[in-house]
Amino acid sequence: MTEFGLMRLHEAMVVLYAASLVFYFIDFLNSQPKARKAAFFTLAAVWVMQTMFLIGNILEEQRFPVLSLSEGINFYAWLLITMSLIVHLFRKAHFAVFFLNVIGFAAVVITAFGEAGTPGSAVGEALISELLFIHITFAMISYTAFSLSFVFAILYLLLYRTLKNKKWDGRWGRLPSLEQAKRAMTISVVVGVPVLLMSLILGLQWAFIAAGPFPVWDPKIIGSFLLLVIYCVLLVLQNRGKLNGPDIAWGHILAFLAVIVNFLLISRLSVFHFWY
């Protein structure tokens, strides 16, 4: 297989792993058997692909590939995926499986795009471009999910006030119920959080390879991780019953305002993020 063919397989593996992480995060928060099963099968597909790459390296090098840093990380990623599949069998290990896969995803990204750092390589240049493309795409998907949660939060408050003031009429018949609006904004964030996390992992990998020396305290990096923390805290408080009704909706609205500030204002202060 050509180098570009292998590059596409690596990209497919990263996307499958990303899908698996989303499913595991949904199961981690709400104990969804269907999401857990989907996560297992997508992770199993990643394991098969990673195993094929490992066997291919063994056949090519005529030795077990662990003597270089990239080979060691590749084997480490395979071990993490294998361990994740084993731990998956234990029903009360949701927490461990999700965070084990976050580490595994980071390792897979490093191995999948490792050749991007090769100077003068056509494959390396293509990988850098693809890495940036996937990073931005994942970021936009997460922002879209957060936008959806914002819209349903507004609808929730609108419906809540209408019902509280007893001003319900036929104009509101096409709108979702309070429970549907609450569920929709929660699901949107549950999808957006792991996708944003993966975007940040991919973005850091791209920055290390293509952007040259950069401060890890770059405003955009700090702002993005703070955004991730805000939404995680919001989900935790909601899941534990600390927030109810309109408080949940206001939480989603304020969190989305943080998205806008991070996207439009903080990006202008970044060393290597340029949005005009």
Side-chain angles (χ1 to χ4, degrees):
M1 183 178 291
T2 64
E3 287 185 303
F4 280 99
L6 285 173
M7 181 183 75
R8 295 303 177 192
L9 283 178
H10 278 295
E11 291 170 358
M13 183 173 64
V14 169
V15 172
L16 282 173
Y17 209 157
S20 177
L21 264 179
V22 171
F23 289 132
Y24 270 123
F25 189 70
I26 294 172
D27 178 59
F28 167 65
L29 283 179
N30 299 311
S31 296
Q32 296 286 339
K34 291 184 179 179
R36 183 172 167 82
K37 185 179 295 185
F40 177 81
F41 284 115
T42 49
L43 185 62
V46 173
W47 181 85
V48 170
M49 297 177 73
Q50 189 73 1
T51 301
M52 290 172 59
F53 291 137
L54 185 62
I55 293 174
N57 287 337
I58 293 174
L59 295 176
E60 181 179 351
E61 301 293 335
Q62 294 296 308
R63 60 176 174 80
F64 200 81
V66 291
L67 297 182
S68 68
L69 178 61
S70 61
E71 290 175 348
I73 295 176
N74 187 47
F75 182 56
Y76 174 64
W78 181 84
L79 287 175
L80 285 174
I81 298 171
T82 304
M83 185 58 64
S84 295
L85 291 173
I86 294 172
V87 176
H88 176 97
L89 301 177
F90 299 92
R91 293 186 178 181
K92 296 185 179 181
H94 301 180
F95 184 89
V97 171
F98 173 71
F99 285 100
L100 196 61
N101 276 294
V102 170
I103 300 172
F105 180 78
V108 165
V109 167
I110 292 172
T111 58
F113 296 98
E115 289 188 28
T118 305
S121 167
V123 174
E125 293 177 1
L127 282 171
I128 291 175
S129 177
E130 293 289 341
L131 182 57
L132 181 61
F133 172 77
I134 298 174
H135 158 62
I136 294 175
T137 300
F138 277 16
M140 293 301 104
I141 291 173
S142 67
Y143 291 160
T144 301
F146 297 147
S147 300
L148 195 59
S149 76
F150 170 76
V151 169
F152 278 103
I154 294 292
L155 285 177
Y156 184 97
L157 291 176
L158 184 63
L159 288 166
Y160 181 83
R161 176 171 294 185
T162 300
L163 291 172
K164 186 177 181 180
N165 296 331
K166 299 180 180 180
K167 294 182 179 180
W168 183 269
D169 56 43
R171 291 179 300 173
W172 310 105
R174 295 183 180 180
L175 295 179
S177 65
L178 286 175
E179 185 60 32
Q180 288 173 332
K182 177 183 174 183
R183 188 184 305 116
M185 64 174 137
T186 302
I187 291 174
S188 298
V189 173
V190 167
V191 171
V193 165
V195 174
L196 177 60
L197 174 61
M198 290 179 286
S199 173
L200 293 176
I201 293 172
L202 291 164
L204 286 173
Q205 172 74 351
W206 175 85
F208 280 119
I209 293 173
F214 70 95
V216 292
W217 55 86
D218 182 88
K220 179 64 175 178
I221 296 176
I222 294 175
S224 297
F225 275 102
L226 282 177
L227 191 63
L228 189 66
V229 170
I230 289 171
Y231 274 106
C232 285
V233 170
L234 180 61
L235 285 176
V236 169
L237 291 176
Q238 184 177 337
N239 199 44
R240 292 184 176 181
K242 302 295 184 180
L243 295 177
N244 292 294
D247 292 337
I248 296 174
W250 278 114
H252 285 268
I253 291 171
L254 293 175
F256 185 71
L257 291 180
V259 173
I260 298 299
V261 171
N262 185 61
F263 185 73
L264 296 180
L265 299 180
I266 296 181
S267 294
R268 295 179 179 271
L269 304 175
S270 175
V271 174
F272 55 92
H273 284 84
F274 305 102
W275 295 96
Y276 297 102

